[in-house]
Amino acid sequence: MSLPKTLAEDVARNLVMVARLIDEDPEEAYAYSRIALRLASRVAAVREAAGFAAYATQKYAEALAEFRAARRMTGSVELWPVMADCERGLGRPERAMAMAGEPEVQKLDKAGQVEMRLVAAGARRDMGQIDAAIVTLQSPELASNSIQPWTPRLRYAYADALLEAGREDEAREWFGKALEADKDGSTDASDRLAELDGVEFVDALGDDDEDETEDETVDAHEGAPGDAADQDERGDEPGKA
C-alpha cells in the first residue's frame, strides 16, 4: 500500500524507533508501534512490527492478531513459527504442536524450520513431554559442525532439555557446544556451565566495600575479633545468570 510522502515518513520514523528499542526497552518500542499502527494499519510491515513489539512485551493475543493480519496481507509463511510461539504464550501448546505439522512448515526456509523445531520442542516441554522434546531437537542441524545463526540457540535448547531430563553430563557437553558457537553472547551458556560446575560469581566492588567496612569495625573496637568474624560470615551473594 502506498502512503502520502509525509505520512510515510512519520510511519518510517516510528518503525525505526521500534527496531531500535525492542531489545533494550520493549515497552517503549510497543508505544511507538501503536503510533505507527494508528497511522498506517493497512501496511503489512506496520502490522508485523506491531506484532513483534507486542510479542516482546508478552502481549501474546495482540501479537498473534497482528501477525495473522500481516500474513493475510502478504501471503508469506515467514511468521508461522512466531505465531506458533504466541499460542504457547497463551497457554495453548497443543495448538503450537498442530501448527508444527501443517504444510506451511515445509515452505519455510532453513532458519524458519529450525525456529519451528525450537517452538515445537518448547510446546512438548510445556506439556510435560521432556523426552519427546529432546527427540524433537535431534536433527541434522543439531548434529552439524557447521555454525549457523541458529546454532547456539538450538544447542542451548537441547542442553536445557537434557538437564531437565536429569542427563547432567550430556547437558554440560551441549552447553559447552552452545558456548563454542555463541560468538555474540546470544545465550547465557557460560553462566549455565558455571552453575553446573558449582562456580559462584562475586561482586568485586562489594568485596572492596566489605573490606573497608571490616577495617573500620576493627579500628573502632581496637581489633575485636568477634566483629570481624561477623563481617566475614555475611560473604558475597553468588552471581545470577
Side-chain angles (χ1 to χ4, degrees), residues 11-90:
V11 171
R13 278 194 292 269
N14 282 284
L15 293 184
V16 166
M17 294 305 296
V18 172
R20 183 178 299 171
L21 294 169
I22 197 164
D23 291 328
E24 62 186 55
D25 191 347
E27 289 291 346
E28 190 70 11
Y30 175 77
Y32 278 105
S33 77
R34 300 307 297 176
I35 296 172
L37 198 57
R38 286 198 299 271
L39 294 173
S41 62
R42 296 185 181 182
V43 175
V46 171
R47 303 303 290 265
E48 182 175 331
F52 277 111
Y55 179 80
T57 53
Q58 300 183 9
K59 298 176 175 67
Y60 297 116
E62 186 176 323
L64 185 56
E66 297 300 340
F67 290 142
R68 284 173 173 167
R71 182 167 181 267
R72 284 195 300 270
M73 292 175 181
T74 64
S76 172
V77 298
E78 186 180 79
L79 296 170
W80 197 253
V82 72
M83 289 168 62
D85 207 38
C86 285
E87 295 286 6
R88 286 186 60 213
L90 291 167

Side-chain angles (χ1 to χ4, degrees), residues 88 97 116-126 129 132-134 136-137 157:
R88 286 186 60 213
M97 283 304 306
M116 193 70 239
R117 189 177 292 275
L118 287 166
V119 173
R124 290 289 190 191
R125 293 180 68 173
D126 293 343
Q129 300 172 3
I134 290 171
T136 299
L137 292 167

Side-chain angles (χ1 to χ4, degrees), residues 156 175 187-196 199 201 238-241:
Y156 182 96
F175 277 128
T187 72
D188 64 347
S190 61
D191 292 341
R192 301 298 298 277
L193 278 171
E195 288 175 7
L196 288 172
V199 176
F201 297 100
K240 189 175 180 182

